[in-house]
Amino acid sequence: MLEDPSAQRVVELYDGILKSRGRALSPASVILDYGCGSGRHAYEFLDAGFRHVFGYDVQDYVKLRSAADLERFRFDPTSGDGTEYPSMTKVPWPDNTFDFVFATQVFEHVSDQELAYSEVHRVLKPGGSFLNIFPSRWRPIEAHINVPFGGVLTSRRYHRLCAALGIRGLNQEHCTADQVVELNRRFVTQGVNYLSGREIAALLDRIFGEFEYVEDAFIRHSRGRSRHLAAPLRFLPLVRQLFRFAHTRVILARKRP
């Protein structure tokens, strides 16, 4: 869940992050939006002049501009299995296809993250980049259900207290407290999978070998509220670690040539 409408324009942001680390996209770059949802970010790259842009998601949520665009989007082989929280498995493209893969607010929902990172690595070309942006589990307000520290405090008793206090997530305005408790408990036990920093680093070390956290570049190039942290960041490097811990993790990995 991105922080405000202006932050949803990602082409300049992602290009700025890549350039800050000596990497760059060209109109010929082959790009994959991993977890493309409605397809808005894929279309944004197309509108910016990138011709070879594709999207993948666990099932079809895409809002097509034209029927011909369907060839740009592919869905998980398990799509349509009827589960409430379907899981991403195999990315339906061959090895070494993409120059750049990005995932925007996706990995907190991925149940098997080792498989997901492995699949992203597989479809990247040697030397290709993967940009992964997702919320921290320690956000003061959990980004999906609006519960204070809902990514960490997951007990039924705690969720019952929050519901009784009137805290509601998206589309829960007319739910009873008991309904909210059941929805949120199901979400935090099945719909999100927040790994620790140590677990994430272990996976990236094993699968990519080459990765770094780039919250500094995200802050400097953001069009959303995060941009206000750019000035303090110049004098207080700790802002970067605090942003990662309490707001958003931004990871840039590279497939070794």
Side-chain angles (χ1 to χ4, degrees):
M1 182 175 294
L2 290 165
E3 56 185 358
D4 56 44
S6 66
Q8 294 185 17
R9 295 190 292 273
V10 302
V11 174
E12 290 183 11
L13 172 61
Y14 294 177
D15 191 50
I17 292 172
L18 290 171
K19 286 178 178 177
S20 76
R21 267 42 183 193
R23 310 178 199 181
L25 298 174
S26 76
S29 295
V30 186
I31 299 170
L32 176 66
D33 182 354
Y34 182 97
C36 61
S38 67
R40 71 182 188 275
H41 295 323
Y43 278 121
E44 185 185 342
F45 271 92
L46 285 168
D47 291 343
F50 295 91
R51 301 185 299 273
H52 310 294
V53 183
F54 302 89
Y56 157 77
D57 213 319
V58 67
Q59 57 190 38
D60 185 356
Y61 307 108
V62 177
K63 297 179 180 178
L64 293 173
R65 292 181 180 176
S66 71
D69 289 344
L70 185 59
E71 67 182 20
R72 295 188 178 275
F73 299 96
R74 299 182 188 178
F75 310 103
D76 199 272
T78 64
S79 177
D81 63 6
T83 58
E84 183 177 8
Y85 296 108
S87 179
M88 289 172 157
T89 59
K90 184 176 177 61
V91 178
W93 274 276
D95 297 0
N96 307 323
T97 298
F98 298 100
D99 299 290
F100 178 50
V101 177
F102 65 88
T104 307
Q105 316 294 329
V106 172
F107 261 68
E108 74 272 23
H109 301 294
V110 176
S111 57
D112 189 341
Q113 296 195 15
E114 180 169 12
L115 175 60
Y117 281 120
S118 296
E119 280 294 289
V120 169
H121 183 270
R122 179 184 65 79
V123 299
L124 273 174
K125 296 177 183 177
S129 297
F130 173 46
L131 182 63
N132 190 10
I133 301 174
F134 54 96
S136 165
R137 69 183 300 184
W138 285 98
R139 273 196 180 193
I141 302 296
E142 205 284 332
H144 307 87
I145 56 177
N146 293 332
V147 171
F149 296 103
V152 181
L153 302 175
T154 60
S155 72
R156 184 177 297 275
R157 179 177 297 179
Y158 178 70
H159 280 276
R160 188 171 297 281
L161 172 63
C162 291
L165 292 173
I167 296 171
R168 297 291 186 269
L170 186 65
N171 300 322
Q172 293 181 351
E173 296 86 353
H174 304 294
C175 293
T176 67
D178 286 343
Q179 289 171 332
V180 170
V181 170
E182 292 307 313
L183 288 169
N184 289 350
R185 281 283 300 153
R186 194 157 65 242
F187 181 78
V188 298
T189 56
Q190 302 176 37
V192 287
N193 180 27
Y194 288 109
L195 301 187
S196 69
R198 184 173 297 179
E199 290 170 325
I200 294 167
L203 286 175
L204 290 166
D205 268 330
R206 184 163 66 252
I207 295 167
F208 281 89
E210 186 176 334
F211 77 95
E212 62 177 317
Y213 283 98
V214 291
E215 291 86 5
D216 59 324
F218 179 92
I219 290 168
R220 291 190 180 105
H221 294 280
S222 175
R223 300 174 65 102
R225 288 188 291 269
S226 298
R227 70 184 186 278
H228 299 304
L229 296 174
L233 183 64
R234 288 200 296 269
F235 306 103
L236 298 170
L238 188 62
V239 168
R240 175 178 174 180
Q241 282 73 30
L242 183 61
F243 185 84
R244 181 189 313 162
F245 176 78
H247 194 277
T248 299
R249 290 181 180 268
V250 187
I251 300 170
L252 183 62
R254 184 170 180 257
K255 185 172 182 176
R256 288 173 171 166

